[in-house]
Amino acid sequence: MMSIMTRFKDIMSANINALLDKAENPEKMADQYLRNMNSDLSKVKAETAAVMAEEQRTNRELRECQADMEKMESYAMKALQAGNEGDARTFLERKTSLGSKLPELQTANQMAAANAAQMRKMHDKLVSDIGELEARKNMIKAKWAVAKTQDRMNKLGASVSGASQSMSAFGRMEDKVNQALDQANAMAELNSAPLDDIDDLTAKYDTAGSSQVDDELAALKAKMMLDK
């Protein structure tokens, strides 16, 4: 019984919240604590039943001893009424013998009653704490699920942010390429030879006086002169 009581006190004095904070998986840790406490509850129930049975036994022995003492006194009175003083003495001697055991029986009964009260108190406290931790376990599980969901959302958010940064980087690269292309086109334009309008002007007059039609007309006239 002492080992169970010691373990029970250790569990009750432990800072469960601090231990859960350090746990990698508080949900599993909470389940393990409840399994341990339910296992302890089974042992506490068995011990409590045994101690209560001991209390009942010592109480019964005490009552029986007191009843026997009263019975011996009653028989002694009857013996005296019958004029049998020797028998009365015998009954009173038995009463005295029983009375010598009475303090020991009373002490045993008091100790058994104290142990039973302590075990019942421990049993009731453990049942209450298990009920409270069951409710807290459900809350822990709910919060743990929310935390894991939030963590996944944070990771997805980081991926989306990375994609946005990549898009921004591509935009900057595109702007840089366009700028380089504009600079190249400008340089090509500057490097090209300047146009000379005089060439176009002279070509206009070079072709103004004669044309293919005029040449053919002259040839046709010459041919007609020969035919005459």
Side-chain angles (χ1 to χ4, degrees), residues 84-163:
N84 296 323
E85 186 173 334
D87 291 344
R89 182 180 295 275
T90 300
F91 288 130
L92 290 177
E93 287 175 351
R94 176 59 61 88
K95 177 186 176 182
T96 301
S97 176
L98 291 170
S100 65
K101 298 178 181 179
L102 192 62
E104 180 180 349
L105 292 174
Q106 289 175 333
T107 300
N109 180 245
Q110 290 172 357
M111 292 180 62
N115 287 338
Q118 184 178 8
M119 289 300 296
R120 283 194 295 268
K121 182 179 179 181
M122 183 167 61
H123 170 270
D124 294 344
K125 178 71 164 58
L126 188 55
V127 170
S128 175
D129 288 338
I130 287 175
E132 180 182 349
L133 287 182
E134 282 284 358
R136 290 170 62 187
K137 180 194 73 172
N138 294 332
M139 180 180 64
I140 288 171
K141 286 187 174 183
K143 288 184 176 180
W144 184 242
V146 171
K148 289 190 292 187
T149 300
Q150 186 63 50
D151 183 59
R152 290 195 298 269
M153 291 175 62
N154 291 340
K155 291 178 179 178
L156 290 173
S159 299
V160 172
S161 177

